[in-house]
């Protein structure tokens, strides 16, 4: 009985330790990336070595299979999606190398140490690569009163600093800050990002409408209740307007920006699998003469205007890095994103190269997935301790002590 309990404990240690070891990365961002479990998988070196010495090779393999299966079951239940090939391949490779290291490290020390080194190397190489600089970058104009190119409350050249969303856009576009739609720079750009701008004159609104009708692509963020934190006092001209000033041009396009129905934060899953986090988001209502259609519970309106198109989003807080980034110093690391905002923005501007991440569907789904995965890992350990309880037999079922005595 004591032997069976010890066997169960060793078989159970791998799946539970590895599963729980990947949870901190998941809880930090909400992403379910199998590469978060490659470093915890190194514990299999110790567990496999202990099982090989005291039980058998098959016990070590059983623990490795249980560890992989437990993580895969958890990831599938938490997301409701199948796994991407490369993260699965990196996890499988790391587990295989860790098992081999643990099995060989006692009898063939150098081989075991070599496999352990390869396992550590695979963990380092499994890291999600940073966003790459695109070879061809279309010209993108940005008009905004939000602090996207400067640090709020500071002056002079020292205040210049790109916000995280701008740093990502620079990887895909030639970003050009523009003060007004009347600027000559507008004639030499391919797309326009218009995010909660200051009030525009009639000539500026007319120029904006004409630029889109002439074949331009525009992504517009209009917010009737901006919640973007600001250290500047109310009334300061450097502060972004608290409400959208684009009602005239929106009405001309047959779109009306409604008042928000709630003032808090909301995580919304889109049809393409992207996750967005909004703050006091509004919605659009279409008039009869509108050539637009709404999407995602009317958060987005997509309009065909002349030969151009405009994508309207009823929340400017959406691009605030506090709503989509866990570490503001790492916007180019997709593993640090807490929402797909950056990929959504880039896609609407004409570049769909940033694939959506894999997200936990809900807190209830997360706890349910964790409960069933833990139960599966424990059940697998019980099954192994019963089926592999023989002390003598073929090589795979012999403990190391038994081999030495023979």
């Amino acid at each position: 009985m004591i032997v069976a309990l010890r066997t169960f404990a060793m078989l159970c240690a791998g799946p539970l330790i590895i599963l729980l070891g990947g949870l901190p990365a998941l809880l930090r961002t909400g992403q379910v990336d199998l590469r978060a479990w490659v470093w915890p998988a190194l514990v299999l070196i110790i567990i496999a070595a202990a099982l090989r010495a005291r039980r058998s090779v098959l016990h070590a393999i059983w623990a490795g299979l249980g560890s992989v299966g437990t993580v895969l079951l958890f990831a599938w239940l938490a997301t409701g999606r199948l796994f991407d090939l490369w993260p699965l391949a990196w996890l499988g490779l790391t587990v295989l190398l860790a098992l081999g290291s643990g099995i060989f490290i006692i009898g063939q020390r150098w081989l075991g140490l070599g496999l352990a080194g390869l396992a550590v190397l695979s963990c380092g190489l499994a890291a999600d690569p940073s966003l790459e600089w695109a070879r061809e970058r279309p010209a993108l104009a940005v008009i905004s009163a939000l602090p996207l190119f400067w640090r709020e409350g500071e002056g002079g050249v020292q205040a210049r600093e790109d916000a995280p969303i701008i740093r990502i856009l620079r990887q895909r576009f030639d970003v050009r800050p523009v003060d007004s739609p009347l600027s000559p720079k507008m004639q030499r750009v391919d797309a326009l990002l218009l995010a909660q701008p200051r009030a525009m004159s009639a000539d500026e609104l007319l120029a904006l409408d004409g630029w889109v009708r002439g074949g331009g692509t525009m992504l517009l963020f209009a917010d009737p209740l901006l919640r973007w934190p600001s250290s500047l006092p109310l009334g300061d001209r450097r502060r972004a307007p608290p409400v959208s000033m684009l009602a005239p041009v929106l009405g001309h396009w047959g779109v009306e920006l409604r008042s928000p129905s709630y003032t808090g934060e909301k995580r919304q899953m889109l049809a393409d699998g992207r996750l967005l986090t909004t703050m006091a988001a509004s919605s659009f209502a279409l008039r009869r003469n509108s050539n637009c259609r709404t999407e995602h519970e009317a958060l987005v309106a997509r309009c065909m205007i002349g030969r151009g198109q405009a994508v309207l989003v009823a929340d400017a807080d959406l691009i605030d890095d506090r709503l989509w980034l866990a570490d503001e110093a790492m916007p180019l690391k997709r593993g640090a994103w807490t929402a797909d905002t950056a990929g959504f923005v880039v896609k609407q501007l004409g570049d769909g190269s940033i694939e959506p991440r894999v997200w936990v569907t809900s807190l209830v789904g997360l706890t349910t997935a964790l409960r069933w995965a833990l139960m599966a890992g424990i059940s697998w350990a019980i099954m192994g301790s019963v089926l592999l309880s023989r002390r003598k037999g073929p090589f795979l079922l012999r403990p190391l002590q038994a081999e030495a005595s023979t």
Side-chain angles (χ1 to χ4, degrees):
M1 184 64 178
I2 295 178
V3 173
L5 289 176
R6 288 177 178 175
T7 303
F8 164 75
M10 287 190 288
L11 291 176
C12 196
L16 299 190
I17 292 175
I18 294 174
L19 176 62
L20 297 178
L23 289 183
L26 182 153
L27 296 175
R28 179 170 173 259
T29 63
Q31 293 188 35
V32 181
D33 189 337
L34 294 180
R35 285 169 291 199
W37 281 273
V38 294
W39 285 105
L42 293 180
V43 75
L44 282 175
I45 298 176
I46 301 174
I47 294 175
L51 285 169
R52 173 69 184 96
R54 297 177 177 274
R55 295 297 180 264
S56 69
V57 173
L58 194 54
H59 282 83
I61 296 175
W62 191 273
L65 293 175
S67 301
V68 174
T70 300
V71 172
L72 295 183
L73 177 63
F74 168 77
W76 176 63
L77 292 176
T79 63
R81 292 179 52 179
L82 297 178
F83 320 107
D84 294 334
L85 177 60
W86 284 113
L88 178 59
W90 280 118
L91 177 61
L93 176 62
T94 304
V95 169
L96 185 62
L97 292 172
L99 280 177
S101 174
I103 291 172
F104 291 109
I105 201 167
I106 298 177
Q108 304 178 47
R109 178 177 301 177
W110 293 112
L111 177 58
L113 291 176
L115 292 175
L118 291 176
V120 174
L121 179 61
S122 71
C123 291
L125 296 176
D128 194 15
S130 300
L131 290 177
E132 297 180 353
W133 189 275
R135 295 182 178 179
E136 297 183 3
R137 297 180 302 128
L140 171 66
V142 179
I143 302 177
S144 178
L146 298 170
L148 300 181
F149 298 97
W150 47 278
R151 292 192 299 272
E152 195 176 66
E154 300 183 22
V157 178
Q158 293 77 12
R160 295 178 183 175
E161 182 180 3
D162 287 345
I165 191 66
I166 297 298
R167 291 180 59 186
I168 289 177
L169 288 174
R170 289 195 189 278
Q171 303 296 308
R172 295 291 186 268
F173 301 93
D174 178 13
V175 178
R176 305 175 184 180
V178 176
D179 294 328
S180 167
L182 295 173
S183 172
K185 298 179 181 179
M186 290 295 298
Q187 304 303 319
R188 300 187 297 273
V189 297
D190 303 293
L192 169 65
L193 173 63
L194 188 63
Q196 198 74 354
R198 295 182 177 86
M200 295 184 179
S201 66
D203 291 340
E204 289 176 315
L205 293 176
L206 185 61
L208 181 65
D209 177 72
W211 183 85
V212 177
R213 291 184 183 277
T217 298
M218 181 181 68
L219 173 60
L220 183 152
F221 291 93
D223 202 321
L225 183 60
L226 186 70
R227 302 295 297 275
W228 196 299
S230 175
S231 60
L232 299 174
L234 293 174
D236 193 306
R237 296 184 61 183
R238 295 171 295 174
R239 183 167 178 156
V243 297
S244 174
M245 301 293 185
L246 298 173
V249 71
L250 293 179
H252 182 61
W253 293 338
V255 179
E256 179 183 351
L257 184 62
R258 293 172 173 171
S259 299
S261 57
Y262 66 96
T263 59
E265 182 178 318
K266 180 181 179 181
R267 292 171 67 83
Q268 183 173 342
M269 188 71 70
L270 306 185
D272 62 356
R274 299 184 191 274
L275 176 70
L276 298 181
T277 304
T278 60
M279 176 65 74
S282 180
S283 59
F284 292 106
L286 303 182
R287 299 176 182 176
R288 291 183 178 180
N289 64 335
S290 175
N291 195 22
C292 306
R293 71 177 190 273
T294 57
E295 301 174 353
H296 314 310
E297 301 179 5
L299 173 68
V300 176
R302 197 174 301 274
C303 306
M304 301 303 299
I305 303 170
R307 292 187 289 111
Q309 61 177 339
V311 179
L312 317 177
V313 182
D315 184 30
D317 293 303
L318 185 73
I319 58 177
D320 183 357
D321 57 275
R322 283 158 286 212
L323 294 182
W324 63 269
L325 186 61
D327 186 348
E328 64 177 359
M330 302 174 61
L332 303 184
K333 291 287 187 179
R334 288 170 290 185
W337 295 359
T338 59
D340 282 311
T341 301
F344 171 80
V345 171
V346 170
K347 180 181 179 181
Q348 304 311 316
L349 290 169
D351 186 340
S353 61
I354 302 179
E355 295 295 326
R357 310 299 287 175
V358 181
W359 304 97
V360 173
T361 55
S362 65
L363 181 59
V364 174
L366 174 62
T367 55
T368 301
L370 183 59
R371 182 185 306 116
W372 282 105
L374 290 174
M375 291 176 60
I378 294 172
S379 300
W380 182 262
I382 294 174
M383 188 184 307
S385 62
V386 173
L387 296 179
L388 307 178
S389 59
R390 295 166 52 190
R391 301 283 300 190
K392 297 181 180 180
F395 166 75
L396 290 178
L397 289 174
R398 291 179 188 168
L400 200 61
Q401 299 92 328
E403 293 177 36
S405 64
T406 59

